[in-house]
């Protein structure tokens, strides 16, 4: 793998790289001048350079630790880049610098901020959070319940940031010193929380009840109640993705046709090479590239795990229209909420961008379409979300 930082150790090296990418875009990709703006290329490189993830080992990176200490997140956005060759680097640099993509990135920030303050989504998440808590608690093991009562006693609850990775991102609701602040207690709370607070709690509850090597890294007393994506009894049968057919129309394709199968190892094409680098040869990447949609770290596996948790409440075959609509509305609300949490500015309740690379709108809505077909009816655009916000203002 080509570690791009070796090529940009100095301003002179960065400028040389920019000019090589410019030449590659002109000579090989045959892009017109209006799609190759040298100042955009320079800005993208500067953004990548500003990101300095902390290397725990040679293979694991972490972003700024400041948010985990409850401090203001004023660190650069995390960009973790490693490329198989210089041409992949050129392609991603050119794509991330395209003027249309830059405008779409700004639109995602605007829409994400609006979602975080949407009353309808907030109300759906508050009730979903409580219903998920009841569902999981009713299937909790004796050891899990005992663990809950032990770890949430008054002495333990005084420990800072003791539960869940999004609690470490300082995203939980503020509580009084005598109130329980763990994820299970907050999930049951009758208080109404914000979109960001709800999604952080739901995410961390998911971690607690997911399989080992999925959301949770170590064994706990809690049972594995939330299955791997596409592996539960209420899951969609196989992952699918968008591709472009010969008539330039977007069509949904079963990834099993491409030699990939759904399994406990989650062998589905996320369109990426690593946490912050897209696979330029992936059909998923190529399709998004054509539409100038922001893509960064692959089709969201985290979002799919959240959809699996919501699917625990999926109605049965004889469900009423109202029950079916409720489930679809919950998948949609979670999809919009996790997108918004990741992409809205931190001062409005967004995720601390310096911690890890984040998923974009398309990277969230792509798997969401599997769990509630039709909610991403206009792929590679923001029409579905814009229409929703206009109708539910």
């Amino acid at each position: 793998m080509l570690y791009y930082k070796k090529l940009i150790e100095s301003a002179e090296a960065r400028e040389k790289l920019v000019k090589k990418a410019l030449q590659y875009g002109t000579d090989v990709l045959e892009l017109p001048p209006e799609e190759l703006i040298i100042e955009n290329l320079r800005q993208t490189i500067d953004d990548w350079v500003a990101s300095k993830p902390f290397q725990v080992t040679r293979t694991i990176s972490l972003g700024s630790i400041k948010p985990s200490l409850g401090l203001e997140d004023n660190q650069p956005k995390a960009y973790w880049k490693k490329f198989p060759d210089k041409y992949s680097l050129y392609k991603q640099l050119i794509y991330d610098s395209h003027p249309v993509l830059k405008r779409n990135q700004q639109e995602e920030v605007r829409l994400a901020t609006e979602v975080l303050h949407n009353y309808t989504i907030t109300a759906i998440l508050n009730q979903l959070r409580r219903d998920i808590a009841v569902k999981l608690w009713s299937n909790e093991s004796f050891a899990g319940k005992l663990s809950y009562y032990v770890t949430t006693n008054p002495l333990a609850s005084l420990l800072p940031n003791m539960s869940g990775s999004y609690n470490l991102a300082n995203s939980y609701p503020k509580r009084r010193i005598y109130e329980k602040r763990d994820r299970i207690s907050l999930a049951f709370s009758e208080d109404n929380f914000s979109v960001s607070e709800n999604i952080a709690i739901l995410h961390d509850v998911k971690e607690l009840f997911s399989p080992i090597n999925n959301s949770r890294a170590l064994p706990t007393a809690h049972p594995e109640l939330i299955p791997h994506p596409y592996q539960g009894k209420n899951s969609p049968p196989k992952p699918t993705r968008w591709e472009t057919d010969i008539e330039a129309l977007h069509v949904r394709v079963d990834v099993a046709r491409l030699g990939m199968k759904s399994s406990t190892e989650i062998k589905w094409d996320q369109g990426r090479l690593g946490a912050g680098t897209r696979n330029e040869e992936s059909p998923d990447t190529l399709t998004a590239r054509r539409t100038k949609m922001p893509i960064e770290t692959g089709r969201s596996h985290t979002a799919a795990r959240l959809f699996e948790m919501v699917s625990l409440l999926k109605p049965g075959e004889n469900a009423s229209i109202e029950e079916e609509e409720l489930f679809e509305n919950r998948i949609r609300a979670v999809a919009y909420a996790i997108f918004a949490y990741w992409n809205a500015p931190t001062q409005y309740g967004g995720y601390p961008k310096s911690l890890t690379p984040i998923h974009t709108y398309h990277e969230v809505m792509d798997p969401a379409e599997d769990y509630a077909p039709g909610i991403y009816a206009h792929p590679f655009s923001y029409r579905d979300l814009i229409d929703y916000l206009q109708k539910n203002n």
Side-chain angles (χ1 to χ4, degrees):
M1 296 293 283
L2 178 67
Y3 191 35
Y4 81 98
K5 287 191 175 181
K6 293 180 180 179
L7 303 178
I8 51 178
E9 292 174 348
S10 66
E12 182 180 352
R14 290 198 293 275
E15 184 63 18
K16 184 177 180 181
L17 177 60
V18 164
K19 290 181 178 178
K20 284 186 175 181
L22 186 66
Q23 183 177 4
Y24 181 82
T26 303
D27 298 343
V28 179
L29 301 181
E30 298 181 342
L31 298 174
E34 60 268 23
E35 296 187 19
L36 287 168
I37 301 175
I38 194 166
E39 287 303 323
N40 284 6
L41 295 170
R42 288 171 178 151
Q43 182 59 56
T44 300
I45 279 289
D46 288 344
D47 290 342
W48 290 0
V49 173
S51 176
K52 298 179 179 179
F54 174 66
Q55 300 289 136
V56 180
T57 69
R58 296 183 64 182
T59 58
I60 300 176
S61 299
L62 291 177
S64 166
I65 64 169
K66 294 184 72 175
S68 67
L69 300 177
L71 303 176
E72 181 181 358
D73 176 38
N74 56 7
Q75 301 300 300
K77 184 178 182 295
Y79 291 96
W80 301 350
K81 304 292 185 184
K82 291 184 179 180
F83 300 92
D85 52 57
K86 60 184 178 182
Y87 304 111
S88 293
L89 189 158
Y90 296 158
K91 288 178 182 178
Q92 189 159 146
L93 175 58
I94 291 169
Y95 180 77
D96 285 358
S97 304
H98 195 284
V100 175
L101 181 127
K102 292 290 187 186
R103 290 195 294 272
N104 283 339
Q105 287 176 330
Q106 294 173 354
E107 178 71 348
E108 293 205 358
V109 173
R110 183 190 72 80
L111 290 169
T113 304
E114 190 171 342
V115 167
L116 290 190
H117 298 90
N118 183 270
Y119 175 80
T120 301
I121 294 174
T122 304
I124 292 173
L125 292 180
N126 273 309
Q127 189 56 53
L128 172 63
R129 166 176 53 80
R130 299 179 189 116
D131 290 349
I132 286 290
V134 171
K135 178 68 174 180
L136 293 173
W137 189 254
S138 66
N139 292 281
E140 174 67 285
S141 64
F142 173 78
K145 291 182 178 180
L146 179 62
S147 171
Y148 165 75
Y149 289 119
V150 169
T151 58
T152 59
N153 68 67
L155 290 178
S157 66
L158 294 176
L159 297 174
N161 296 332
M162 61 170 288
S163 73
S165 61
Y166 280 10
N167 184 27
L168 295 176
N170 206 31
S171 297
Y172 276 20
K174 307 301 179 189
R175 311 295 281 175
R176 297 181 180 88
I177 193 68
Y178 55 83
E179 293 179 306
K180 290 186 176 182
R181 293 174 286 167
D182 67 280
R183 60 192 119 178
I184 294 179
S185 298
L186 290 173
F188 273 106
S189 176
E190 289 298 318
D191 292 345
N192 289 322
F193 300 139
S194 69
V195 171
S196 296
E197 291 166 345
N198 274 305
I199 208 66
I201 295 166
L202 286 168
H203 174 275
D204 288 357
V205 167
K206 167 191 66 66
E207 285 185 339
L208 200 61
F209 292 94
S210 288
I212 305 299
N213 296 323
N214 189 329
S215 275
R216 64 174 151 178
L218 299 173
T220 71
H222 303 282
E224 298 179 359
L225 299 178
I226 301 171
H228 288 287
Y230 304 96
Q231 296 302 306
K233 66 177 183 178
N234 293 332
S235 305
K238 289 176 180 140
T240 59
R241 68 169 179 227
W242 293 106
E243 290 190 10
T244 306
D245 66 11
I246 58 175
E247 297 179 353
L249 298 175
H250 299 308
V251 294
R252 203 71 175 158
V253 176
D254 185 341
V255 299
R257 284 175 44 192
L258 305 164
M260 288 174 278
K261 323 180 193 179
S262 174
S263 72
T264 53
E265 297 177 357
I266 322 301
K267 290 182 178 176
W268 60 313
D269 178 23
Q270 290 182 271
R272 71 181 194 177
L273 292 176
T277 311
R278 294 292 302 209
N279 176 8
E280 296 299 330
E281 303 304 319
S282 165
D284 187 72
T285 299
L286 293 172
T287 306
R289 290 274 193 250
R290 295 187 189 103
T291 59
K292 305 300 183 290
M293 285 295 283
I295 51 176
E296 184 170 336
T297 184
R299 301 171 82 236
S300 178
H301 197 181
T302 299
R305 292 194 294 260
L306 283 168
F307 302 148
E308 279 294 342
M309 182 168 67
V310 179
S311 294
L312 296 176
L313 303 176
K314 187 175 183 178
E317 293 181 0
N318 298 321
S320 65
I321 295 176
E322 290 77 11
E323 290 172 323
E324 294 285 356
E325 288 179 346
L326 175 61
F327 175 74
E328 180 179 303
N329 286 333
R330 283 174 161 178
I331 292 288
R332 181 184 287 108
V334 169
Y336 290 164
I338 191 64
F339 150 72
Y341 176 64
W342 281 330
N343 288 275
T346 309
Q347 62 265 34
Y348 294 112
Y351 177 76
K353 309 299 183 293
S354 65
L355 286 177
T356 59
I358 50 91
H359 292 284
T360 63
Y361 177 75
H362 172 70
E363 292 176 331
V364 171
M365 296 308 297
D366 198 347
E369 177 68 14
D370 286 339
Y371 285 83
I375 68 170
Y376 195 27
H378 301 89
F380 307 102
S381 77
Y382 304 107
R383 181 174 168 183
D384 299 305
L385 177 53
I386 291 172
D387 287 350
Y388 180 90
L389 292 173
Q390 289 176 344
K391 293 175 184 177
N392 298 278
N393 192 350

